[in-house]
């Protein structure tokens, strides 16, 4: 069996279509892993996680372009970093960072490490929601 350019093109096209259909079908079923702060390890760096917690402190950076929230879920606490673009997105939804202080929230963010400390970087302006 000779493989011609035409056959190779058809095989590549069919394989690509199968892959795209698979992505469309399985993407909605991918969920963010819900974790407790005490269970977060360095092995989880760059992983996106969800945490139900209370915002115990809100501080802005010296430039005022970023915010550092301290979150606590009863098993531990850690910093949550919110960057300028996410703040702008939150403000466009009529939310202020200070509104989250002492509220129970759900956070979706990426685990990172800075100065040998674990922290969470908020995924988007919609990834911080008050739950009670």
């Amino acid at each position: 069996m000779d493989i011609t350019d035409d056959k190779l093109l058809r095989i590549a096209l069919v394989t690509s279509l199968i892959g795209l259909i698979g992505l469309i079908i399985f993407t909605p079923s991918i969920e963010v892993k819900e974790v407790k702060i005490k269970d977060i390890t360095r092995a989880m760096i760059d992983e996106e996680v969800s945490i139900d917690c209370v915002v115990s402190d809100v501080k802005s950076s010296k430039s005022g372009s970023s915010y550092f929230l301290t979150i606590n879920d009863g098993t531990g606490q850690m910093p949550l970093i919110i960057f300028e673009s996410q703040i702008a997105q939150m403000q466009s939804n009529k939310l202020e960072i200070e509104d989250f202080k002492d509220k129970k929230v759900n956070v979706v963010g990426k685990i990172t490490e800075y100065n040998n400390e674990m922290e969470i970087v908020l995924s988007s302006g919609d990834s911080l929601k008050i739950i009670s």
Side-chain angles (χ1 to χ4, degrees):
M1 177 172 136
D2 290 328
I3 296 181
T4 63
D5 287 343
D6 188 45
K7 287 181 182 178
L8 192 58
L9 179 65
R10 287 181 186 172
I11 291 170
L13 182 61
V14 169
T15 305
S16 297
L17 287 174
I18 290 171
L20 287 173
I21 291 169
L23 282 173
I24 291 169
I25 291 171
F26 292 112
T27 298
S29 66
I30 297 173
E31 292 185 21
V32 178
K33 185 164 95 174
E34 194 165 322
V35 298
K36 298 286 185 188
I37 291 175
K38 71 176 174 100
D39 297 330
I40 294 175
T41 65
R42 282 182 169 69
M44 297 172 73
I45 289 177
D46 288 334
E47 220 176 283
E48 195 166 62
V49 298
S50 172
I51 301 173
D52 288 340
C53 54
V54 175
V55 176
S56 57
D57 192 28
V58 177
K59 293 180 184 173
S60 68
S61 64
K62 291 178 184 175
S63 66
S65 62
S66 300
Y67 280 85
F68 306 98
L69 282 61
T70 302
I71 57 172
N72 186 331
D73 70 351
T75 68
Q77 66 179 24
M78 70 186 315
L80 169 67
I81 315 304
I82 304 176
F83 292 113
E84 188 173 10
S85 61
Q86 297 148 340
I87 293 167
Q89 187 179 3
M90 293 169 85
Q91 289 172 339
S92 71
N93 291 333
K94 309 246 187 290
L95 294 170
E96 295 296 325
I97 300 295
E98 295 294 332
D99 296 343
F100 293 98
K101 186 166 182 177
D102 298 323
K103 298 275 187 347
K104 187 168 185 181
V105 297
N106 176 266
V107 174
V108 176
K110 189 180 281 193
I111 304 291
T112 62
E113 182 178 21
Y114 181 74
N115 287 341
N116 288 327
E117 286 193 36
M118 304 302 289
E119 61 187 23
I120 298 179
V121 175
L122 193 67
S123 292
S124 72
D126 296 331
S127 297
L128 180 63
K129 297 179 181 140
I130 296 174
I131 53 178
S132 68

